[in-house]
Amino acid sequence: MRQKVYRLVVAAMMGCASFILIFFNFGVPFLSPFAEFDLSALPELIGGFVLGPVGAIEIITVKLLLKLVFQGSSSMLTGEIQNFLLSVTYVLPAVLYYRKHRTKKGAVIGLVLGSVLSIITAIITNIYLIFPAYMFLYGMDWDMIVGMFSAVNPYIKNIPTVVAFSIVPFNVISRTVTSVITFFVYKKISKPLKKIISEADNK
């Protein structure tokens, strides 16, 4: 029971860290007129590697609940739903693979697997969730959506090129940067987290 409480504490801490990192974001204008890059997935990955898949979902949930409490939703929750799906498809494959292959190679393969699945999910959620939500909320149509992207990248002419020249490269860059940082800092950050959990067995 004590260890379970300590695990929840760690999940809450990492969820808070993930939420805070949302505010340290920046756009990539030549790829997307509105998407912003942040490192909020970093605590989700590290916490997931320490706590397992359930812990990863708890961290993601805490992040999104805090976001709703302090920022609300400007997209009828579609943005939050997309965020949850992208986080889950990125973090869970990496965590599950690493739990069975606890080596550096296993971590790399897990991160690559999660990145690929997350990018596929990003394509689906943008086309069938986010863009339709923008059209409904702001009275836009597909031509207007494509026009926004064409304004920052003249090579974008239609939805397939939105996918090829915006959604895919943006998410490749995002997941690559986050995965590389996770790979190099995991050991250092995971040690104090594991120590907190282990203390439950000594009390």
Side-chain angles (χ1 to χ4, degrees):
M1 180 63 182
R2 188 185 298 273
Q3 187 180 63
K4 184 177 181 180
V5 172
Y6 276 56
R7 290 175 65 86
L8 288 173
V9 169
V10 170
M13 289 170 50
M14 299 304 283
C16 290
S18 184
F19 168 67
I20 292 171
L21 286 174
I22 290 177
F23 295 95
F24 297 91
N25 60 67
F26 58 89
V28 187
F30 61 92
L31 289 180
S32 174
F34 50 82
E36 295 182 331
F37 169 71
D38 62 59
L39 290 171
S40 61
L42 185 62
E44 297 168 0
L45 278 170
I46 294 173
F49 284 149
V50 173
L51 301 174
V54 174
I57 293 176
E58 291 171 346
I59 294 168
I60 296 168
T61 301
V62 169
K63 176 192 72 175
L64 292 176
L65 287 176
L66 288 173
K67 182 180 182 299
L68 286 172
V69 169
F70 289 99
Q71 292 185 315
S73 176
S74 60
S75 59
M76 296 190 305
L77 298 181
T78 53
E80 288 70 34
I81 292 172
Q82 186 201 37
N83 194 306
F84 180 82
L85 292 174
L86 292 180
S87 294
V88 167
T89 53
Y90 177 40
V91 175
L92 285 191
V95 170
L96 290 171
Y97 191 90
Y98 182 68
R99 283 173 70 85
K100 292 186 177 181
H101 308 274
R102 290 186 174 276
T103 62
K104 289 185 177 180
K105 181 180 178 180
V108 170
I109 293 175
L111 290 167
V112 170
L113 179 61
S115 296
V116 171
L117 292 176
S118 178
I119 291 168
I120 293 172
T121 303
I123 296 171
I124 296 171
T125 55
N126 273 288
I127 298 299
Y128 295 105
L129 181 65
I130 298 302
F131 293 160
Y134 271 90
M135 290 189 286
F136 177 80
L137 289 171
Y138 303 110
M140 304 174 71
D141 56 27
W142 284 111
D143 288 337
M144 295 175 69
I145 293 289
V146 173
M148 292 173 62
F149 284 88
S150 297
V152 299
N153 187 336
Y155 291 102
I156 296 178
K157 304 293 185 182
N158 48 39
I159 294 301
T161 51
V162 169
V163 173
F165 297 123
S166 178
I167 297 175
V168 170
F170 177 85
N171 282 277
V172 167
I173 293 171
S174 173
R175 296 316 184 194
T176 299
V177 171
T178 304
S179 295
V180 169
I181 294 175
T182 299
F183 182 81
F184 285 107
V185 306
Y186 168 67
K187 289 296 183 182
K188 292 182 179 180
I189 298 179
S190 65
K191 287 181 180 179
L193 297 180
K194 291 177 179 178
K195 184 178 180 181
I196 292 174
I197 296 172
S198 66
E199 286 180 353
D201 297 326
N202 301 324
K203 292 185 178 181

